[in-house]
Amino acid sequence: MGNKVELRTKAEPVTAFKTVDGKKRKAEVLLNVEDLSLSFTQYTSGLRQTELKVISNLSIQAYRGEILAVVGSSGSGKSLLAHSILGILPSNAKLSGKIEYDGEELTQERKEALRGKEIALIPQATTYLDPLMKISDQVIGCVEKKDKGLMRKLLREIFQRYNLKSEVEGMLPHELSGGMIRRVLVSTAVIRSSKLIIADEPTPGLDEKTLNETLSYLKDMADRGCAVILITHDIEAALKVSHKIAVFYAGTVLEVANVEDFKNNGENLRHPYTRALWNALPQNNFQVIKGHQPMQDEVFDGCIFYERCSKKKALCSQGIPELRQVNGGVVRCNNVS
Ligand SMILES: Nc1ncnc2c1ncn2[C@@H]1O[C@H](COP(=O)(O)OP(=O)(O)OP(=O)(O)O)[C@@H](O)[C@H]1O
Ligand code: NI
């Protein structure tokens, strides 16, 4: 991007207060992503190298005991954020900025050590499991021989909780339905005491009952103290269970709003894009705004939402607005105070 603008959020508090059962409790940050940028090195004709920037100065926090929904149009960088946290980016990816987990920097080594254990992915594709390995072995993972018996007992208890019959333990993935596989993946996170759960589009194409069931598992994990990141296109689903909603646009965050801000006509929402998403929902008469998010190679010096914004001022074409804290949320917009 052109102008070099200071984009960091002001020193974020490590803790915030939330009200649980009428009492104020501390919600601790488990994951802190600050000023994350990601680009891919691409080779064009004549071995010319170009950098394709896909995430720019992105900052979010995931709190223990909370669900943070990440919404935004296709290509806005949601999955790449997940892959950056999990350390599964391709080799031509260049990552900069800060990712802290549990108060310490999340280095590539730490990502690899925690992946599938403390940090769990619940992916969209049900092909995530090994097709040739028995479910029970996959869920339990590598454990010492002496601990096997105990783990099997634990597995049985957890499977029961998620309505998976004991026969499932001996089955192969292709014998399970999509819903069962999702429950197996949730069980895996539970048995391995995962603390950060990243669910990437866990609900598309699900009927109402299965959708609610999947959401309730995520809520269950948050109630147990996990920090859950729910990546989804389905804002209505996100609003059912999430505490906060981060709105992504063209590789950055435009707003992180509390779920309560989505009440009524969305008058408490801060960013014009978040309001536009809200107005596009069925209950708000599908009022869609024109245009599309800028492509990665469209360079513009101003606010990335400039083209589509109904509130833009001259100032908005000069420099990217800072991400600021406003009324309990954060927003990247010049017109909000
Ligand atoms: N390996 C790659 N090389 C180059 N560009 C990539 C690569 N992987 C992803 N991208 C681009 O980065 C952008 C963000 O991709 P990402 O998968 O994070 O989007 P998303 O928000 O998860 O979208 P969706 O909602 O469709 O899943 C997209 O434009 C995508 O084309
Ligand atoms: Ni995605």
Side-chain angles (χ1 to χ4, degrees):
M1 305 257 162
N3 279 10
K4 195 80 195 114
V5 187
E6 185 57 53
L7 289 166
R8 298 177 82 89
T9 28
K10 300 202 179 68
E12 275 285 327
V14 182
T15 55
F17 286 94
K18 63 169 184 172
T19 309
V20 180
D21 305 331
K23 287 180 210 139
K24 268 199 168 177
R25 291 222 189 122
K26 251 186 199 174
E28 282 171 54
V29 170
L30 181 62
L31 180 84
N32 179 32
V33 176
E34 225 174 285
D35 244 345
L36 191 80
S37 293
L38 170 68
S39 56
F40 290 107
T41 308
Q42 293 191 323
Y43 293 92
T44 47
S45 58
L47 287 181
R48 263 201 27 226
Q49 252 190 34
T50 54
E51 294 286 324
L52 187 69
K53 199 161 191 189
V54 286
I55 291 183
S56 311
N57 307 92
L58 188 145
S59 301
I60 51 140
Q61 281 82 35
Y63 291 84
R64 290 180 204 266
E66 285 194 1
I67 300 182
L68 168 74
V70 171
V71 303
S73 34
S74 191
S76 58
K78 303 181 300 293
S79 295
L80 287 178
L81 168 69
H83 298 173
S84 306
I85 298 164
L86 291 156
I88 51 172
L89 291 167
S91 59
N92 64 332
K94 218 189 272 170
L95 199 60
S96 67
K98 191 157 87 178
I99 307 183
E100 286 172 333
Y101 173 80
D102 207 6
E104 272 178 55
E105 194 194 336
L106 192 56
T107 57
Q108 182 62 25
E109 269 181 350
R110 241 182 124 211
K111 287 174 190 173
E112 282 165 24
L114 299 179
R115 189 167 66 223
K117 298 178 188 108
E118 267 193 44
I119 303 181
L121 175 71
I122 299 182
Q124 171 181 0
T126 44
T127 50
Y128 189 69
L129 294 171
D130 184 335
L132 301 174
M133 200 178 183
K134 255 185 7 186
I135 294 295
S136 60
D137 292 340
Q138 303 204 43
V139 176
I140 293 172
C142 294
V143 287
E144 284 185 38
K145 219 171 174 181
K146 65 174 173 52
D147 297 330
K148 271 245 157 94
L150 192 68
M151 291 302 268
R152 282 196 183 283
K153 206 167 146 251
L154 194 57
L155 175 80
R156 209 145 295 158
E157 278 174 30
I158 296 171
F159 268 19
Q160 233 166 23
R161 189 193 312 154
Y162 292 116
N163 205 8
L164 291 163
K165 296 207 172 83
S166 57
E167 299 92 89
V168 174
E169 292 171 34
M171 287 181 178
L172 290 172
H174 75 265
E175 296 175 90
L176 272 57
S177 70
M180 284 161 96
I181 291 195
R182 250 179 292 274
R183 282 180 264 154
V184 165
L185 291 168
V186 170
S187 307
T188 310
V190 173
I191 205 166
R192 298 190 190 174
S193 308
S194 299
K195 297 200 175 91
L196 175 65
I197 316 293
I198 305 177
D200 194 353
E201 299 281 1
T203 59
L206 298 182
D207 60 74
E208 188 74 14
K209 182 170 165 278
T210 323
L211 169 83
N212 288 334
E213 197 181 87
T214 307
L215 294 174
S216 75
Y217 299 145
L218 297 178
K219 174 125 196 334
D220 187 42
M221 309 284 271
D223 290 344
R224 290 162 180 275
C226 294
V228 179
I229 298 180
L230 165 61
I231 297 174
T232 180
H233 279 109
D234 190 344
I235 299 185
E236 287 173 292
L239 290 173
K240 286 186 188 169
V241 290
S242 306
H243 298 81
K244 297 193 179 83
I245 315 260
V247 179
F248 278 31
Y249 191 75
T252 199
V253 171
L254 291 185
E255 173 163 3
V256 182
N258 296 303
V259 71
E260 299 82 32
D261 298 334
F262 282 82
K263 274 192 274 190
N264 309 327
N265 296 321
E267 59 268 14
N268 290 334
L269 295 170
R270 299 155 195 84
H271 201 285
Y273 180 57
T274 317
R275 281 212 201 111
L277 287 178
W278 181 232
N279 289 332
L281 291 180
Q283 70 263 40
N284 302 326
N285 300 324
F286 301 104
Q287 303 163 52
V288 179
I289 51 163
K290 287 203 190 88
H292 58 83
Q293 70 183 349
M295 308 294 281
Q296 287 97 355
D297 52 2
E298 286 177 41
V299 179
F300 179 62
D301 277 346
C303 170
I304 48 168
F305 191 61
Y306 185 81
E307 282 303 319
R308 302 171 80 186
C309 187
S310 56
K311 298 239 161 82
K312 64 187 161 217
K313 297 180 189 156
L315 163 76
C316 305
S317 65
Q318 299 148 23
I320 300 162
E322 257 186 71
L323 196 58
R324 292 177 298 130
Q325 297 203 29
V326 180
N327 294 336
V330 294
V331 64
R332 198 188 278 288
C333 178
N334 292 321
N335 297 318
V336 182
S337 52

